[in-house]
Amino acid sequence: MSNKLTGTLFALSAFFFLLLSGCQTEDSSTAADGKLTVVTTISQIADVVENVGGTAVDVNRLMGPGSDPHLYSPSAGDVTRLQNADVIFYNGLFLEAQMEDILEQLGERKTVIPVAGTIPENLLLDSQDYEDEFDPHIWFDIELWAEATKVIRDTLIEADPDNADTFTANADAFLAELNELDAWVESEISRIPADQRVLITAHDAFNYFGNAYGMEVMGLQGISTASEAGTADVQRLADFIAENEIRAIFVESSVSQRNVEAVQAAVESRGWNVVIGGSLFSDAMGDSGTPEGTYIGMVRHNINTIVPALLGE
Ligand SMILES: [Zn+2]
């Protein structure tokens, strides 16, 4: 509750800034080069827009490597970028908790699209943190991310119909890659013995992943990193890991690893050694220009980290 309140206050102050800075900077957008200017929140969305938009769009991502979308509040520069965008994509489902109000305000006068917006509710998982909210981490179910890709394709076509053929062809190619990735993930996970298919991470980002690929998933912090992990959570996880002789647990690039290390120490005091199997990309991707700086590369990195660690290789 207090998290939501803080979020509202942040967003309100950003909104007033937006009012004060006025409309004079409006629309340098489709500007000089005639390209559509697209702004996204998380990098996972920016990557899809770059794949589908190709050279016909300029993509600006607000959240880079290490950014935590649950806690992210827009800077003054972000507000200007948002104001100057032709199209804004965000995840929705309360992922960008501190930006909900400002995005809603901007949505009254420009194209602001939650990429999770068209996913049927029966495919969404409940949030354990917020009543009446869904779990926002849909990009970990590759089939759901394909749905988000179609939303992005259709929005770009509507915003720039002259490039419809390009957007359609690019989206078809990317969807084919996602399809291939989905099959690869499934076959890699099947190498882990059924009783070791347990993914324990810093926060509850991987429920869609577990649901899609048949892994039990446990996070130390909740769906949002705004909720702190308590001593009881550490002890509960440590009991589970020691009893089930789980080989590895994982840290995340956008979340402090202090809590995961506390679990590891608590497991050790129970007479079982669990290793930290590596760092996963959850809510943020890797550096741009590296394979992990793309959506597909990030998923591959995670699988190539999880599978060998749980196999004890
Ligand atoms: Zn998260």
Side-chain angles (χ1 to χ4, degrees):
M1 197 56 207
S2 67
N3 293 325
K4 258 192 167 171
L5 184 62
T6 323
T8 309
L9 288 175
F10 266 121
L12 264 181
S13 53
F15 174 62
F16 283 122
F17 176 83
L18 185 148
L19 279 182
L20 287 173
S21 64
C23 305
Q24 68 268 39
T25 52
E26 201 78 16
D27 277 349
S28 57
S29 51
T30 340
D33 56 4
K35 286 186 188 182
L36 215 54
T37 300
V38 178
V39 172
T40 76
T41 54
I42 56 172
S43 293
Q44 288 87 334
I45 298 174
D47 184 64
V48 179
V49 178
E50 281 167 1
N51 273 286
V52 175
T55 52
V57 299
D58 278 328
V59 187
N60 235 306
R61 60 191 74 187
L62 299 186
M63 302 179 195
S67 289
D68 181 342
H70 302 287
L71 306 178
Y72 190 93
S73 56
S75 68
D78 291 342
V79 174
T80 306
R81 278 190 279 275
L82 288 164
Q83 283 179 314
N84 290 339
D86 296 311
V87 177
I88 298 166
F89 290 111
Y90 69 112
N91 187 80
L93 304 176
F94 208 57
L95 177 74
E96 301 93 339
Q98 322 279 15
M99 295 185 67
E100 292 264 307
D101 291 356
I102 196 175
L103 291 168
E104 200 174 300
Q105 292 293 342
L106 287 163
E108 283 168 16
R109 56 198 169 87
K110 59 173 75 211
T111 307
V112 180
I113 305 289
V115 300
T118 61
I119 294 171
E121 289 196 355
N122 65 332
L123 298 180
L124 294 174
L125 303 174
D126 286 330
S127 166
Q128 271 107 47
D129 292 6
Y130 300 111
E131 229 176 296
D132 304 326
E133 299 283 352
F134 292 107
D135 181 338
H137 304 92
I138 57 163
W139 54 93
F140 280 121
D141 179 337
I142 297 167
E143 284 182 27
L144 294 185
W145 207 233
E147 291 310 306
T149 300
K150 292 173 194 167
V151 169
I152 289 167
R153 175 198 63 198
D154 296 346
T155 305
L156 292 181
I157 289 174
E158 199 166 310
D160 181 7
D162 289 349
N163 279 307
D165 290 348
T166 306
F167 298 146
T168 303
N170 289 349
D172 285 348
F174 189 65
L175 288 167
E177 280 187 75
L178 290 184
N179 211 14
E180 212 171 280
L181 183 70
D182 190 43
W184 177 77
V185 171
E186 208 162 296
S187 86
E188 282 298 297
I189 296 298
S190 72
R191 293 171 49 208
I192 307 168
D195 64 349
Q196 288 286 321
R197 278 180 214 156
V198 181
L199 180 62
I200 298 172
T201 64
H203 92 297
D204 256 337
F206 293 90
N207 289 318
Y208 286 100
F209 178 81
N211 199 42
Y213 305 106
M215 283 194 86
E216 188 175 350
V217 169
M218 299 170 119
L220 185 50
Q221 282 174 278
I223 298 279
S224 165
T225 53
S227 63
E228 263 300 321
T231 325
D233 299 314
V234 172
Q235 302 306 328
R236 172 184 56 88
L237 268 187
D239 283 340
F240 179 88
I241 293 163
E243 270 162 34
N244 293 280
E245 304 191 338
I246 304 299
R247 288 197 177 101
I249 56 180
F250 302 88
V251 295
E252 298 171 33
S253 71
S254 54
V255 184
S256 156
Q257 65 181 67
R258 187 170 39 96
N259 291 326
V260 175
E261 285 165 354
V263 172
Q264 186 185 32
V267 171
E268 207 177 312
S269 74
R270 285 158 173 77
W272 175 252
N273 278 321
V274 67
V275 302
I276 294 183
S279 180
L280 306 180
F281 294 105
S282 55
D283 294 3
M285 307 202 304
D287 292 326
S288 54
T290 68
E292 295 77 20
T294 68
Y295 170 74
I296 288 175
M298 165 189 118
V299 172
R300 285 188 169 274
H301 165 92
N302 284 352
I303 297 300
N304 287 331
T305 304
I306 292 167
V307 175
L310 290 180
L311 285 174
E313 281 169 0

